[in-house]
Amino acid sequence: MACRERINCTANTMAGILEKFQSLGKGNGVRALKDMSHGLTVIRAVPYVYTVCRKKSACDYCLHRKEKLLRCSQCKVARYCNAHCQREAWQSHKRECKCLRSTLPNVPTDSVRLVGKIIFKMLQNPDATSEELYTISDLQSHIKEASEEVQDGLRHLATALQLYLKEEIQDISQLPPGFQAIEYFGKVTCNSFTISDGEMQDVGVGLYPSMSLLNHSCDPNCVIVFEGTCLLLRTVKEIPKGEELTISYIDVKMPTQGRRDQLQRQYSFTCDCHRCLIRDKDEDMLAGDADTSREVERSVSRLEELLSQNKAEEALNLCKTLMNRYYLPDKNIHQLKVLDCAMDACINLGLWEEALQFGLQTLEPYSLYYSNYHPVRAVQLMKVGKLQNYQGLFTEATKTLMQAFDIMKVTHGRDHNQTQQLAELLNDCEANMRGM
């Protein structure tokens, strides 16, 4: 069914579209006040605060990924695309700049920087209420439900925050009224959103308070994508009036128990959605010999570490060793991760034919685990289509890229930068076919 309309609104103009309500067994939730077709941008929300991921080469202001960025001359930590981004960021950066400079050569964690920014924003404009449905003070911390281990971690973060802020805040009386550091670290843990770029790579962390009303489902009717720091809530199913809007808090490409454990650990609840109750696709995800699957799983973190350190050749060798030593079907999620890492390593090394071979092996499992409309599957198809196009396989590339486009026009919308890049790539591919 084609998308019939597009609803554009910011989080403070939701009247007549969404309403907050008490969701049975879940607490606060958001439901539709009108019928919605799939492929709508229901909300465009700007963050209350955000920060770049510490180990990512991305601009602290716009979060654009670049290899070469300009460092702040004072703190040497914040980095920017250009002088324009640095000027635009200065108002929110100037107080944290002193704090960052005081901690060198150590750099605070993302959550410490984020809570620091919350404090500075609350002090600068204590009456700001940019969120209509939910405010920063409304956010739940779930500290009482957290394990002692989690609470101990929050206490360590609160101590780190105190050291980080010492250049700007020397006394508790200088904090916002009623501010409790452990409480706010709990809020950040439960309510922050990982900001991703067009290729679904993590680049930042932000707080979008009204979006924290959205409850979780392992089979949601909405997805979240980003354009820069702007959050877009998109419908991926038909949503009748009165139905609750849901998103997935986690990557659904893991077995039921893994999903439940992660949700309990981070968000303090046990998921009882339909997929979890029937343990949907668990057998597929762990297909093959159980001992072999565990052996491969133990190597995945090492693979990811090698790629993060730009050791692509070493990562590729490890991938090949694992694939030669152990047999698992491609749909096994640990084998699938090895294939993903092998493709990325080959791309980094310019081994295009091998990259395509590994990429093609991932497509069927991706369609199994990211069924219907999912941005992760769209990006994977686009990546494989690019490889096909680059190697002159224009017919195959067109077919793959069209599949990506059919998904992305729903998950991202036709006006999203990533969708427009995909459309341009499709046009180039079709032009190449005509010129054959």
Side-chain angles (χ1 to χ4, degrees):
M1 179 178 178
C3 302
R4 295 190 294 269
E5 60 176 319
R6 179 176 178 171
I7 301 172
N8 287 323
C9 61
T10 58
N12 61 347
T13 58
M14 294 191 228
I17 300 171
L18 305 174
E19 69 172 355
K20 182 170 70 172
F21 80 115
Q22 285 297 302
S23 180
L24 184 63
K26 298 180 180 179
N28 289 317
V30 178
R31 64 186 173 194
L33 288 175
K34 59 182 292 186
D35 292 341
M36 297 179 182
S37 61
H38 72 290
L40 297 181
T41 299
V42 183
I43 297 169
R44 292 176 178 272
V46 295
Y48 180 80
V49 291
Y50 68 95
T51 188
V52 69
C53 288
R54 181 168 53 167
K55 296 183 179 180
K56 298 294 182 178
S57 182
C59 174
D60 271 61
Y61 176 66
C62 70
L63 300 185
H64 180 66
R65 278 194 299 159
K66 286 182 70 174
E67 288 300 318
K68 294 183 178 179
L69 294 162
L70 304 176
R71 288 188 182 274
C72 172
S73 60
Q74 297 184 46
C75 70
K76 312 294 185 186
V77 175
R79 297 176 296 171
Y80 303 99
C81 294
N82 47 44
H84 170 76
C85 282
Q86 188 167 10
R87 282 195 302 271
E88 292 295 315
W90 180 243
Q91 189 62 35
S92 62
H93 175 63
K94 60 183 178 181
R95 293 196 71 175
E96 77 157 357
C97 187
K98 294 180 183 178
C99 300
L100 289 168
R101 191 168 56 209
S102 72
T103 63
L104 290 174
N106 298 316
V107 179
T109 63
D110 298 341
S111 56
V112 168
R113 279 189 77 180
L114 199 64
V115 174
K117 289 190 174 193
I118 291 171
I119 291 171
F120 295 142
K121 181 156 185 174
M122 293 174 78
L123 290 172
Q124 179 184 353
N125 194 358
D127 298 323
T129 54
S130 61
E131 302 281 339
E132 182 179 296
L133 293 182
Y134 225 41
T135 67
I136 188 77
S137 60
D138 292 326
L139 296 176
Q140 302 296 304
S141 66
H142 297 292
I143 288 178
K144 292 180 180 178
E145 299 96 327
S147 66
E148 184 57 39
E149 181 183 0
V150 170
Q151 292 188 38
D152 190 48
L154 296 178
R155 286 189 283 269
H156 278 94
L157 287 171
T159 301
L161 178 70
Q162 186 177 6
L163 294 172
Y164 170 62
L165 295 175
K166 64 184 179 182
E167 288 296 309
E168 282 289 305
I169 296 175
Q170 293 83 34
D171 188 82
I172 194 170
S173 64
Q174 295 174 282
L175 289 168
F179 185 90
Q180 297 291 327
I182 293 177
E183 180 79 12
Y184 271 80
F185 276 112
K187 291 184 178 191
V188 164
T189 300
C190 294
N191 297 284
S192 60
F193 287 83
T194 300
I195 302 171
S196 56
D197 64 10
E199 296 180 356
M200 302 303 292
Q201 297 294 311
D202 299 346
V203 289
V205 183
L207 277 179
Y208 302 78
S210 284
M211 298 302 94
S212 296
L213 284 169
L214 292 162
N215 282 314
H216 166 83
S217 171
C218 297
D219 185 22
N221 53 24
C222 294
V223 295
I224 282 175
V225 294
F226 293 88
E227 260 191 312
T229 62
C230 182
L231 178 153
L232 279 65
L233 179 68
R234 301 273 305 173
T235 60
V236 291
K237 294 182 180 180
E238 305 288 321
I239 303 176
K241 179 181 176 181
E243 184 172 307
E244 182 173 8
L245 276 66
T246 58
I247 58 172
S248 178
Y249 291 177
I250 57 174
D251 184 1
V252 296
K253 188 170 62 25
M254 66 176 84
T256 301
Q257 195 57 53
R259 297 197 305 272
R260 283 182 158 179
D261 288 347
Q262 184 174 339
L263 290 166
Q264 182 64 51
R265 185 169 57 250
Q266 186 169 353
Y267 302 101
S268 302
F269 73 88
T270 300
C271 185
D272 59 357
C273 73
H274 178 68
R275 282 199 63 196
C276 286
L277 292 177
I278 66 170
R279 297 189 170 271
D280 182 44
K281 299 184 176 69
D282 280 12
E283 288 187 12
D284 292 315
M285 292 184 184
L286 298 176
D289 180 72
D291 291 336
T292 301
S293 185
R294 283 190 288 270
E295 285 293 330
V296 175
E297 181 184 10
R298 281 191 277 269
S299 299
V300 166
S301 58
R302 176 58 179 160
L303 275 175
E304 293 174 327
E305 181 184 3
L306 289 171
L307 286 173
S308 69
Q309 296 171 347
N310 295 318
K311 297 179 179 179
E313 188 170 356
E314 194 173 340
L316 180 59
N317 288 337
L318 179 54
C319 289
K320 289 181 176 179
T321 297
L322 291 170
M323 286 186 279
N324 289 331
R325 182 178 298 168
Y326 305 110
Y327 171 75
L328 287 171
D330 293 342
K331 64 182 179 180
N332 178 288
I333 56 172
H334 308 306
Q335 174 75 358
L336 182 56
K337 187 62 183 178
V338 173
L339 290 170
D340 268 328
C341 289
M343 177 174 65
D344 290 342
C346 287
I347 290 172
N348 291 338
L349 294 168
L351 303 174
W352 311 119
E353 289 186 13
E354 284 190 75
L356 177 57
Q357 177 188 343
F358 291 127
L360 288 171
Q361 287 180 253
T362 70
L363 294 187
E364 188 173 339
Y366 265 69
S367 69
L368 176 64
Y369 301 132
Y370 299 111
S371 54
N372 299 320
Y373 299 107
H374 200 293
V376 169
R377 185 180 171 214
V379 169
Q380 188 77 355
L381 284 162
M382 185 175 176
K383 190 184 293 187
V384 172
K386 280 183 178 180
L387 289 168
Q388 291 170 322
N389 185 51
Y390 186 78
Q391 293 176 61
L393 304 171
F394 303 128
T395 301
E396 295 89 338
T398 300
K399 181 179 178 181
T400 304
L401 293 172
M402 276 303 303
Q403 290 181 64
F405 185 78
D406 287 341
I407 298 170
M408 201 172 287
K409 66 186 180 185
V410 173
T411 58
H412 292 66
R414 291 177 182 270
D415 294 336
H416 193 283
N417 288 337
Q418 190 73 5
T419 312
Q420 292 181 351
Q421 289 178 27
L422 175 55
E424 290 174 7
L425 186 60
L426 257 173
N427 288 336
D428 291 342
C429 195
E430 289 169 351
N432 288 329
M433 285 180 62
R434 288 192 295 270
M436 288 174 64

